[in-house]
Structure formats: C-alpha cells, structure tokens
Amino acid sequence: MTSLKAHELLTPPCRLIDQTDLPRVGFRGAHSAEYLTARGFTLPDAPNRATAQADGSWVARLSQNEYLLLGSPADQGQRIADEEARWELDHRAHYLLPRQDSHACVLLSGTVIAQVMAKLCGVDLSFPAFKPGAVAQTAAARINVIVIHSGSVEAPAFHILWDRASKDYFDGALRDALEEFGGVGLADRA
Amino acid sequence: MKIMMCPLNGPRNISEFTYGGEFKPMPDPVNCSDAEWADYVFNTDNLAGVVREWWMHTPSSYWFLAERHTVTDEILRTFDPKELFTHRVDFNTPQEIAG
C-alpha cells in the first residue's frame, strides 16, 4: 500500500530549482525584435509577456524593445550562450545586455506557488490575475524581481530572477516562505 | 500602501517608484546661455498645484511622466513619455576641446 506520506514526498506541493548557472542574455533596441526573429526566436507580442521556444528556452519581453532570453535545461542553455557569443555591435540598434552574472534565477513550480509568493510580494500572482505567459517586474521581499509565469494553469511554474549579489538573501526568503507549504528545494539545475 | 499606476507594468506599490524631478523643457544645450542652462539643471518651480513630473518604476527601470497635485498628493494621470517626445532628439554638440 502506498503511504500518503511517501506519495507527498514523490510529488511535493512545490519545488525550487536553481537555474542561476544556466545561460541567459538580454537584448535591447529598436532592431532587436527583427534580429531575434531572424535568429529563429518566437517573440511575445506585447511587453510583460513571455513565450516558450520549441527547444525549451524562454523569451520574455520586458519593455517595448527589451528582451530577456533564458536558456533551456535540455541543451544546458547552449543556444542562448551561442547567441550572446555571436552578437556584434554594428549599425543596427540592437544592443547586448549581459545577464548571466547580473541575475540569479530559480524555477519555482507547484500548485501552491501563488500562495508562496503572496508571502513575499504585493502583486497578485494567482490565476487568473497572473496567467501563463505573463511577466511581472516588481518587488518581492523588498528587492527587485522579475517573475515569469512559465507553467500552465494546471501546473504553475514561475521563473524568478533577481540581483545576483542578493542571491543568498532572496534564496533564504524564498525557502522560508516555502517551508509553510512543504516545498522541496533542489540545489542543482533541472 | 499607496498605489501608483505604471503605464508599462500596471498598478504597483508606491515603494516601487523613484521620483525623477519636475518635467521641464530642455533649452538648446549648444546655443543657450550659461544662466539658462544652470536654471534648467538646478532650479525648480516647486508649484503648489498640479505639476508634471518624471517617475521611474525601479524594478523595470522604466521612466514615465505623472501629473500630480503637490498639495493633496493625488496622482491624476501617468503616461508614457512618447506622448510628448514624438521624434528623435539629436545633440549637435560642438567638438570638445581636450585639456
């Protein structure tokens, strides 16, 4: 007989995966959309929206002309690392924003993550206020964060990015909030 | 908590915003006098009433304009600077002389 306790351990209500070491990069400029489209990325059609790519990468649109690219665990972010490496300044308004060392990144998933985040953040991140594919640039635990809804209605998941110099601080705040909901934190990437 | 409407991000706590000073038209930096430039850089009107101000939504580094009543602190309207800056501004600065 399967004990309920063992089952809970197998499928924890929420999971925290550190993706800080996965490559990510930003681009900004009036020609960035054209460039990224030509490079095979599907871009969100409005600011504060995010789109999943076929290979598991994500593209989040942070403003009219700024894009944040998150690497996929499937290729260890190689595609995004290559995009950063091949960028060159030319006549086009398309500028590189290095994001690997500036931000920490985690993937928080599970059915209770909206409640977990409600302990840290003033913005309503529950469904339907915050739908899959939405991006919130706000403050959580008193520091600036970017929250990207990269899951689905049935299986919510948030990519959370914040200042890497505050990694330990926000990690602690998140783990403290998770404790109440029986979350399991994994130190390695997905 | 007081709520401000960010034109890019929607309603947010006022603690997420940074004040950027009064909105003033910039004099031509090449041809204006030193007194005009100093007035633009250092002096403020400090009106009691509805003023137009620069504000920034800090988590997204997004600058926008707000119309606020400085007596009641009521924010009447926030909007993207594109409403006022409709074309590109080019600075034809004269050649800087080194040393």
Side-chain angles (χ1 to χ4, degrees):
Chain A
M1 197 172 88
T2 314
S3 94
L4 191 59
K5 205 166 176 67
H7 181 69
E8 268 178 4
L9 285 172
L10 285 171
T11 54
C14 44
R15 238 159 67 109
L16 184 67
I17 299 165
D18 193 338
Q19 293 196 343
T20 301
D21 291 337
L22 266 186
R24 66 190 149 268
V25 70
F27 292 104
R28 181 175 192 149
H31 294 141
S32 289
E34 191 186 310
Y35 178 93
L36 291 171
T37 305
R39 293 294 303 156
F41 289 98
T42 310
L43 306 184
D45 52 11
N48 283 325
R49 301 281 311 157
T51 305
Q53 310 298 305
D55 65 350
S57 315
W58 276 84
V59 176
R61 186 169 172 186
L62 300 181
S63 72
Q64 204 58 38
N65 289 321
E66 182 175 337
Y67 297 88
L68 173 66
L69 282 59
L70 302 178
S72 165
D75 67 349
Q76 299 298 308
Q78 195 56 48
R79 181 187 181 193
I80 303 302
D82 291 346
E83 282 305 325
E84 178 167 8
R86 78 184 297 279
W87 176 87
E88 276 179 10
L89 183 65
D90 57 19
H91 64 281
R92 284 175 295 186
H94 173 61
Y95 309 105
L96 177 75
L97 306 170
R99 291 292 184 244
Q100 180 69 60
D101 298 325
S102 62
H103 285 65
C105 179
V106 293
L107 179 63
L108 180 64
S109 58
T111 49
V112 296
I113 56 174
Q115 286 111 291
V116 173
M117 288 305 288
K119 294 184 77 176
L120 306 172
C121 177
V123 173
D124 184 1
L125 297 176
S126 65
F127 186 81
F130 193 63
K131 294 189 177 74
V135 175
Q137 301 177 70
T138 182
R142 291 180 180 264
I143 61 169
N144 299 330
V145 294
I146 301 168
V147 184
I148 300 166
H149 195 321
S150 47
S152 60
V153 177
E154 301 76 34
F158 296 162
H159 272 97
I160 306 170
L161 295 106
W162 71 96
D163 174 25
R164 192 157 175 170
S166 305
K167 185 172 190 304
D168 272 1
Y169 162 71
F170 191 75
D171 246 349
L174 207 49
R175 280 167 203 281
D176 180 67
L178 277 168
E179 248 173 47
E180 185 180 324
F181 298 94
V184 174
L186 298 177
D188 57 339
R189 59 173 83 149
Chain B
M1 179 86 71
K2 195 180 170 89
I3 305 287
M4 192 175 197
M5 178 61 82
C6 171
L8 176 66
N9 297 284
R12 289 288 194 269
N13 286 343
I14 196 74
S15 57
E16 290 189 22
F17 295 94
T18 307
Y19 174 68
E22 286 175 6
F23 174 76
K24 295 180 278 188
M26 183 177 69
D28 180 353
V30 181
N31 297 313
C32 74
S33 67
D34 287 353
E36 278 175 309
W37 188 253
D39 182 52
Y40 169 68
V41 174
F42 297 112
N43 297 334
T44 57
D45 288 336
N46 199 22
L47 275 176
V50 176
V51 294
R52 200 170 259 186
E53 298 167 329
W54 283 107
W55 282 83
M56 181 181 69
H57 180 245
T58 320
S60 56
S61 300
Y62 167 74
W63 284 98
F64 60 95
L65 292 159
E67 285 171 1
R68 185 175 69 92
H69 199 298
T70 52
V71 179
T72 61
D73 199 27
E74 186 188 357
I75 296 152
L76 305 167
R77 187 167 88 98
T78 55
F79 56 101
D80 192 279
K82 268 191 189 144
E83 270 191 36
L84 301 180
F85 295 90
T86 49
H87 57 271
R88 185 184 166 88
V89 180
D90 281 310
F91 295 97
N92 300 310
T93 46
Q95 198 67 42
E96 193 71 34
I97 299 160

